[in-house]
Amino acid sequence: MGLEFLARIRRTTFWLAAIGALVTSTYVAPAFAVGLAAGALWSLANLFLIEKLVVGLTGADRGTAPALRRVALGAGGMPPLLGLGALLLARLPIPALMIGFLVPFAVLTLKAASLLLIPTALWRRVTRDPKIAALLVIAAIGLIWAALPARHLGGATGAIAAAEHATSAPAEAGGGHAAGTGGEESGPQKFPNFITVLHRAFPGAAWVTFLHHYEVIFFSLLVALILCVLAWAASRDARLIPRPFQNAVEAMVEALHDFIVGILGPRHGPRFVPFLGSLFLYILFMNLFGLIPFMESPTSNLNVTVALAVTVFLYAQFIGLRELGPVGYVDHLLGSPRDVTGWILAPLMLPIHILGELAKPISLSCRLFGNVFGEDMLLVAFVSLGITTLAFTHLPIGIPLQLPFLFLALLTSTLQALVFTVLSTIYFLLMLPHDDHGHEEAVQHAH
Amino acid sequence: MDFHAALALGLPLGIGIAAIGSGIGLGLIGQGAMQAIGRQPEATAKIQLAMIIIAALAEALTIYAFVTMFLLNSRI
């Protein structure tokens, strides 16, 4: 409790407001999101000033100079903050501001409630067994799911009903839009996955429409779930003398560890093994997932590959900022000028470096997407060729012309996962301080 | 020649030209790597890693043409 508790509330509120602003900017309106964020920030600033005031007036060191400075800061900050609040109220949507303003108090209430809840006997009994706790969590998610889609799907069916009933131009425009998005989704014909089959079998059923709309997310989550279950099963009963399955997984993890540490060096390498290793396994499994009948590679959709590449990009920038410091980061972007020529060339190097950084995620995502998607298209083309060859027999059979390309697909899936991981590792390496490379080379020369 | 015919003619041609370029590049990379491995077989792992990275960079150019084709495919 105490100030530490307040700091935790501040942190939680900050992240909650950031996520809420992102979600509302996507699904409601940008102005609403700005209002939400501004309200939460204003509320946080307000709490901060009040805290300074209270600590300054009632703390153990009241009367001393630091405490007086704190009181002055708290009292002096209030009027500008109130003025800012009035300005915000005039400019931004008031409901969003109010919601944002109330976020810290909601966090405070929930945190206090959880502090009261955790020591109770019932809670302890529930959380003692992970299975019961997991069941309860699943039940809670199910309840929320049952409560939420009622409204969401009601709106969707309402929209469908409106589109069916209306015969005027707007409805046609809506229909055209729907057909357009449908055409974009299935534009180049892919193999049907089981969600497509379900969609054909139950056209208009709300849950199938939902699945069909988010099928890429569904499949990528499925792959992640499979990986989680595999990792859990391999490490559940770890023994000193491993059984075959644990041995296989351990060998794989060790190979990944050696590979990444070999590139990044023994000092920085081990920290990035979890991220890069799971990136490799995730992409590999997603690429190979499309070769299973009635499944689809999530990576054959640009959205997934862009998400992965943006994650790598942001992580690389974060590493640069943390390892090099803000000054070192800018220095890195300027091309590390150390002499007159370097400083003359620095204005030229800055845009080149920034463009280079921005090109990395684009090339990463387009490469992975293009390869997996192109491989899918190749298989589709040869399957249809095999079917049209035997079309004169009017039998539902075809020549399996795609067989050699299935092996090619196995190869490219693995290779592209490797390439994505290696390039991410190289991008991290470029961001890390270069001091220990000279050492490594010296060691090699010594050999 | 109208827009659609030009597009229908240009897209496959564009991919072909891009493939020629990155094919030459990949060939040169492979040649260099194979010679290096032949000269120094104990450095195979390092050479292969560098080869894969550069091959991915060279190959990406064709992939860009390919993605462009799929972006413009619907307008034929």
Side-chain angles (χ1 to χ4, degrees), chain A residues 4-25:
Chain A
E4 207 268 335
F5 183 67
L6 273 181
R8 264 162 52 197
I9 284 176
R10 226 180 284 139
R11 225 157 37 216
T12 316
T13 309
F14 181 77
W15 286 112
L16 199 66
I19 294 168
L22 279 178
V23 169
T24 45
S25 72

Side-chain angles (χ1 to χ4, degrees), chain A residues 188 259 263 302 359 362-364 366-371 373-375 377 415-416 418-419 422-423 426-427 444, chain B residues 45-46 48-64 66-71 73-74:
Chain A
F259 181 68
I263 297 176
L302 194 56
I362 297 173
S363 82
L364 267 185
C366 278
R367 179 181 304 117
L368 185 58
F369 162 70
N371 270 292
F373 186 67
E375 169 196 306
M377 288 299 105
L415 200 63
Q416 288 309 314
L418 184 69
V419 164
V422 169
L423 287 177
I426 300 287
Y427 297 156
Q444 277 168 8
Chain B
K46 277 192 168 179
Q48 260 175 355
L49 179 67
M51 183 189 81
I52 288 173
I53 294 166
I54 302 170
L57 293 179
E59 178 210 48
L61 302 173
T62 316
I63 302 291
Y64 295 154
F66 186 71
V67 171
T68 316
M69 188 204 89
F70 271 106
L71 287 178
N73 205 10
S74 55

Side-chain angles (χ1 to χ4, degrees), chain A residues 293-306:
Chain A
F294 293 111
M295 297 293 170
E296 193 192 328
S297 295
T299 37
S300 67
N301 188 306
L302 194 56
N303 294 310
V304 174
T305 58
V306 165

Side-chain angles (χ1 to χ4, degrees), chain A residues 26 30 65 103 110 115 117 129 151 153 158 185 201 254 276 279 282-283 312-313 326 329 343 380-382 417 424 429:
Chain A
T26 314
V103 165
L110 284 176
L115 278 185
L117 181 68
D129 191 356
R151 212 151 41 84
L153 297 178
E185 267 173 13
E254 218 172 277
L276 292 168
L279 199 65
Y282 189 40
I283 294 173
V312 169
F313 169 73
Y329 180 72
W343 278 109
V380 168
F382 274 91
S424 310
L429 179 69

Side-chain angles (χ1 to χ4, degrees), chain A residues 194-257:
Chain A
F194 77 91
I195 290 179
T196 325
V197 174
L198 278 179
H199 192 61
R200 298 241 174 94
F202 306 100
W207 60 280
V208 179
T209 314
F210 179 81
L211 268 187
H212 185 65
H213 195 77
Y214 294 107
E215 63 175 8
V216 177
I217 298 174
F218 173 78
F219 279 117
S220 53
L221 285 180
L222 191 63
V223 173
L225 190 73
I226 289 172
L227 276 176
C228 286
V229 169
L230 279 183
W232 174 76
S235 63
R236 179 174 51 118
D237 183 19
R239 295 183 198 170
L240 192 61
I241 299 168
R243 287 151 301 127
F245 183 47
Q246 187 194 343
N247 200 6
V249 173
E250 275 182 2
M252 203 161 60
V253 170
E254 218 172 277
L256 280 171
H257 179 272

